[in-house]
Amino acid sequence: MEAGSEDRSAMVPNRSSVLVVCLAAALALSGCAGQQLTDDQEQRVAEKFEERLSEIDGYHATVTVSSTFDNRSFEMTTEVWARTGTGEMRQEVLAPPDRAGSKTVSNGSVMWTYNAAENTATRIEVPDVGTTNTVPRVERLVENFDIYSNGTVDLNGTETHKLTLVPNESAGPALSGTITMWVDTEKLFPVKMSMAFGEATSTVRYRNLTLDPDFEDGTFEFDLPEDAEVRTPSTPNVSEFQSYDRLADAVDRPIPGRELADRFAFERGSVVDGSTSIVSLEYADRDRTVTMQVTAAGERNPSDGENVSVGDRTAQYSEFGQMASLTWTCEDTAYTLLGQFEQETLVDIAADIECPSPR
């Protein structure tokens, strides 16, 4: 694993989702428990986002992230300083003991991650994440989630508004999980968030929260230890294709045809060349999409899903929230179908795909 990758996985949630829910809480105060916000209320959330964003300069808090996946649990506590709308952030690991001292620091354009146990640092160029780039993500969140007010509840002595965000029919694969938030009634800031994506769960808890703190000079500057090893992450090369023929000519691995199951037509594709080479093809019918990923057999960890029969082949079926996948192997090539479908539908699509002849 690349140095600092676990540190980045525990970083605080995207601030756009934090602030949009703050607004949702403010708009839902007059509603009764279990009431869904109307379309007009959700639209007001997006329209007033920039106004709310300008009111908060940043925050300082102790953040604990607890995650569970595949019967394994992980917990990390960090101290976080963040300046809203600039991408400036500092995160220092407090626990567990074997990760204490590791840190992630970003000045908005360059992010450093430091692994204290290995005494290694990684420098990453990051894109501009100012307020103008944040608003579209907020609008997408409002568009793809139904927001429910669950009334006012006490959370360890703090009065909070409890909110639930449930993906609607417009939600894509990346928004397939249900989110529950507890928003401080006084500060209108989430002090706890729980996310469930199938069998994977994650809970984020904010303590000792201070809004608009006085950031000391150098808070968002990284001091590289003199004896630290600096590592440069390898960036995969990504090529995108709108033409099926051009995609087929660009790869040396057999790929499915222009259509799947006589109703899903090729829309676009991509090739990612990195530590693992992945060919992705996106197909669509009138209202749904399905993605096919093609890799060399053995390049990815084998699925621990349910074995199902697809014609004379055996495939592995897995579910992740609203997403499902079906993976099988032909010769030296692995194929994975991904989409928001029932198992039977994915099996029917896969059964219509013959193992392509090797090139």
Side-chain angles (χ1 to χ4, degrees):
M1 179 176 292
E2 177 186 292
S5 60
E6 290 186 13
D7 295 338
R8 291 196 298 278
S9 69
M11 286 175 60
V12 294
N14 183 283
R15 64 179 177 280
S16 63
S17 62
V18 168
L19 292 175
V20 73
V21 175
C22 289
L23 290 171
L27 295 172
L29 301 188
S30 60
C32 60
Q35 178 177 332
Q36 180 181 349
L37 269 65
T38 65
D39 291 342
D40 287 343
Q41 286 177 314
E42 292 186 348
Q43 184 59 36
R44 287 171 57 198
V45 169
E47 291 174 351
K48 290 183 176 295
F49 172 71
E50 286 187 276
E51 177 184 341
R52 175 60 172 165
L53 188 65
S54 65
E55 294 175 354
I56 300 178
D57 179 57
Y59 65 89
H60 175 215
T62 301
V63 183
T64 299
V65 179
S66 304
S67 303
T68 300
F69 179 71
D70 195 23
N71 295 321
R72 291 176 292 178
S73 297
F74 176 78
E75 183 171 286
M76 178 177 287
T77 299
T78 61
E79 187 172 5
V80 176
W81 298 257
R83 179 171 279 141
T84 305
T86 67
E88 294 172 293
M89 181 272 299
R90 184 181 193 90
Q91 173 186 271
E92 298 183 356
V93 179
L94 305 178
D98 61 339
R99 302 304 305 276
S102 296
K103 63 186 69 175
T104 301
V105 183
S106 173
N107 63 7
S109 59
V110 175
M111 175 183 291
W112 284 91
T113 62
Y114 175 68
N115 186 315
E118 298 181 0
N119 196 26
T120 57
T122 303
R123 184 182 186 276
I124 305 170
E125 299 283 344
V126 295
D128 181 11
V129 290
T131 56
T132 39
N133 291 336
T134 306
V135 174
R137 294 200 296 267
V138 175
E139 292 175 346
R140 184 178 180 220
L141 187 66
V142 172
E143 177 184 349
N144 291 285
F145 279 87
D146 292 331
I147 304 175
Y148 293 82
S149 169
N150 302 121
T152 302
V153 300
D154 179 87
L155 181 65
N156 298 328
T158 300
E159 185 181 67
T160 64
H161 302 298
K162 185 179 179 181
L163 299 167
T164 303
L165 280 71
V166 180
N168 57 32
E169 295 180 353
S170 300
L175 303 174
S176 61
T178 298
I179 303 172
T180 304
M181 298 198 178
W182 290 258
V183 183
D184 188 311
T185 58
E186 179 182 353
K187 297 178 179 178
L188 285 182
F189 192 97
V191 290
K192 182 180 179 182
M193 291 174 278
S194 292
M195 292 149 277
F197 300 88
E199 297 181 358
T201 63
S202 181
T203 298
V204 184
R205 183 69 192 272
Y206 290 77
R207 295 181 175 86
N208 307 318
L209 174 67
T210 301
L211 298 182
D212 300 324
D214 292 326
F215 295 113
E216 297 182 2
D217 293 341
T219 297
F220 306 111
E221 297 177 3
F222 176 71
D223 294 324
L224 178 66
E226 292 183 2
D227 58 343
E229 175 189 351
V230 178
R231 296 180 176 177
T232 302
S234 59
T235 303
N237 181 43
V238 181
S239 302
E240 298 184 353
F241 300 85
Q242 302 298 320
S243 164
Y244 177 86
D245 290 336
R246 291 184 178 180
L247 173 64
D249 290 340
V251 300
D252 58 2
R253 191 167 297 283
I255 60 175
R258 300 173 186 274
E259 292 187 355
L260 300 182
D262 295 327
R263 61 190 178 97
F264 291 95
F266 175 81
E267 290 276 308
R268 62 185 62 86
S270 66
V271 179
V272 178
D273 288 319
S275 58
T276 298
S277 180
I278 303 174
V279 181
S280 293
L281 302 91
E282 183 176 315
Y283 298 83
D285 62 4
R286 288 184 301 176
D287 54 9
R288 291 194 294 181
T289 62
V290 62
T291 299
M292 170 69 81
Q293 292 187 345
V294 183
T295 65
E299 279 194 345
R300 290 174 141 181
N301 293 328
S303 170
D304 58 357
E306 172 189 356
N307 286 338
V308 297
S309 295
V310 180
D312 59 356
R313 304 184 297 249
T314 298
Q316 288 74 47
Y317 174 81
S318 300
E319 294 182 353
F320 309 90
Q322 294 185 353
M323 286 292 294
S325 69
L326 193 67
T327 301
W328 68 95
T329 300
C330 293
E331 299 294 335
D332 62 348
T333 303
Y335 298 89
T336 298
L337 272 176
L338 295 162
Q340 296 186 25
F341 298 97
E342 299 291 337
Q343 181 186 77
E344 181 180 355
T345 304
L346 280 182
V347 170
D348 287 343
I349 297 173
D352 194 56
I353 303 173
E354 297 182 0
C355 282
S357 301
R359 293 193 174 186

